[in-house]
Amino acid sequence: MIRSTLRKSSLRLPSLSPSAFRFSTVMPGSSEQKEEMNPYALARDTSVSVKDMRVLLATQDVFRHIKVTPVTACLGGEITGVNLAEKLSDDVIEEIWAAFLLFGVIFVREQHLTPAQQVALAKRFGEVDRHPIVKGLEDYPDVLEIVREAGAPTNFGESWHSDNSYMPEPSLGSILHAVEVPPVGNDTMFSCAYGAYEDLSPKMQDILDGLKAVHTAGIAFNPATVSGGSFENPEAKMKYVKSQELESQSVHPVVRTHPETGRKALFVNSMFTPRIEGMSEAESKPILDYLHSQVGQPHLTCRYRWKSGDVAMWDNRCLQHVAIGDNSSHRRIMRRVTLKGDKPF
């Protein structure tokens, strides 16, 4: 794991000026200097909106070892030129992480990873986070196999959410691998929580900056109503455990500050956030309903159409996602590994 040192050293970084975007290198065999953009400086500059920063990335080549093509103006980048099944060099891993910070979610097509390779890849970026409720694969308990059989009425994750936000230290990021997907449909949508916050009026931002919200798994994973898996059926493809997280609650800021980029992002979601701290659910509902409506705004989203073998890696600290269950005629199998995070501030 090479990411932990950078994460610890980059907490609460100040905004950087545009002049910090560039650095000079000397090309091998030449005394001529070449000016290049610094992707980490771009990720950490908060003086421009996240959209303006990502639009800039569409016109600038800021990477040496990988190629990243933006998916939309607000978030998402598709990486080419890497094989995630191989042991990648530290330089390539660093650039993948930089792309992760810059784009919020990154996609790599046609990878076909084994569970062992997916776990090994995740450990290059941080410590793996085991799900407290959903059982992982028998031989690889850190890998969730998310299965929707043909004919199943619902899909796992069919409302906007940030993975495991109900934990005291929510998952930093997730790596999802498509094992079997239908010929059409069952895409995943992602939404930029930076942009959702930046779109708010300054007055609304001031109000939210002082609020905290309660997160719980007890509603989404209620044994009486849960879908996508089972607490009781030993034959179910996805098996749930009645852990303490079903009863416990965590309190996080409504607006969290990203520990690596310094940007602010909305951090409430319709799956795990029932109320504002100090308010009843009825009092919280108008505020939360408005914030939830911001998340799905089309200009803040990207929609990814899966093919077998594709890999997506997203930052739970600054975006939300939702599984679209529009095709119940075909089976869908995905494998997910998450990375440990830290306490939101």
Side-chain angles (χ1 to χ4, degrees), residues 185-240:
N186 290 1
D187 303 342
T188 301
M189 287 188 70
F190 300 87
S191 180
C192 177
Y194 290 146
Y197 175 77
E198 292 174 359
D199 279 355
L200 299 172
S201 67
K203 183 63 175 180
M204 190 62 168
Q205 290 176 348
D206 288 343
I207 293 171
L208 297 179
D209 282 342
L211 299 180
K212 294 185 178 181
V214 175
H215 295 244
T216 177
I219 300 172
F221 288 101
N222 183 341
T225 59
V226 72
S227 62
S230 174
F231 285 93
E232 308 294 344
N233 182 5
E235 304 301 319
K237 295 292 185 180
M238 295 181 65
K239 301 178 180 64
Y240 299 155

Side-chain angles (χ1 to χ4, degrees), residues 278-297:
M279 298 184 187
S280 68
E281 290 191 19
E283 292 170 329
S284 304
K285 190 176 187 302
I287 300 172
L288 292 177
D289 283 352
Y290 174 72
L291 298 180
H292 297 333
S293 72
Q294 293 299 103
V295 170
Q297 293 294 320

Side-chain angles (χ1 to χ4, degrees), residues 9-67:
S9 66
S10 59
L11 295 178
R12 303 176 189 262
L13 287 176
S15 173
L16 300 177
S17 66
S19 62
F21 290 174
R22 297 186 178 275
F23 61 93
S24 296
T25 58
V26 178
M27 302 304 291
S30 171
S31 60
E32 181 181 354
Q33 285 193 336
K34 178 183 178 181
E35 192 176 57
E36 297 179 341
M37 298 195 79
N38 184 333
Y40 281 107
L42 277 171
R44 295 166 182 165
D45 185 80
T46 58
S47 65
V48 296
S49 72
V50 68
K51 179 181 176 182
D52 288 345
M53 181 266 290
R54 287 170 175 166
V55 168
L56 174 66
L57 291 170
T59 63
Q60 300 287 337
D61 184 7
V62 300
F63 300 101
R64 301 180 186 177
H65 305 286
I66 61 176
K67 179 175 176 56

Side-chain angles (χ1 to χ4, degrees), residues 109-110 112 178-182 304-311:
R109 293 197 179 274
E110 300 181 4
H112 303 288
V179 178
E180 181 180 339
V181 296
Y304 189 70
R305 182 174 181 179
W306 294 95
K307 295 182 180 178
S308 178
D310 290 355
V311 171

Side-chain angles (χ1 to χ4, degrees), residues 50-126:
V50 68
K51 179 181 176 182
D52 288 345
M53 181 266 290
R54 287 170 175 166
V55 168
L56 174 66
L57 291 170
T59 63
Q60 300 287 337
D61 184 7
V62 300
F63 300 101
R64 301 180 186 177
H65 305 286
I66 61 176
K67 179 175 176 56
V68 187
T69 303
V71 176
T72 71
C74 193
L75 81 163
E78 186 169 326
I79 294 179
T80 54
V82 297
N83 181 354
L84 299 179
E86 297 178 347
K87 181 173 172 49
L88 300 172
S89 70
D90 287 353
D91 288 341
V92 172
I93 290 294
E94 286 284 346
E95 288 205 345
I96 291 174
W97 191 262
F100 173 79
L101 294 178
L102 285 167
F103 292 97
V105 56
I106 51 178
F107 308 101
V108 192
R109 293 197 179 274
E110 300 181 4
Q111 297 299 300
H112 303 288
L113 304 177
T114 66
Q117 289 170 330
Q118 189 172 354
V119 172
L121 173 67
K123 288 181 176 179
R124 298 296 302 279
F125 299 109

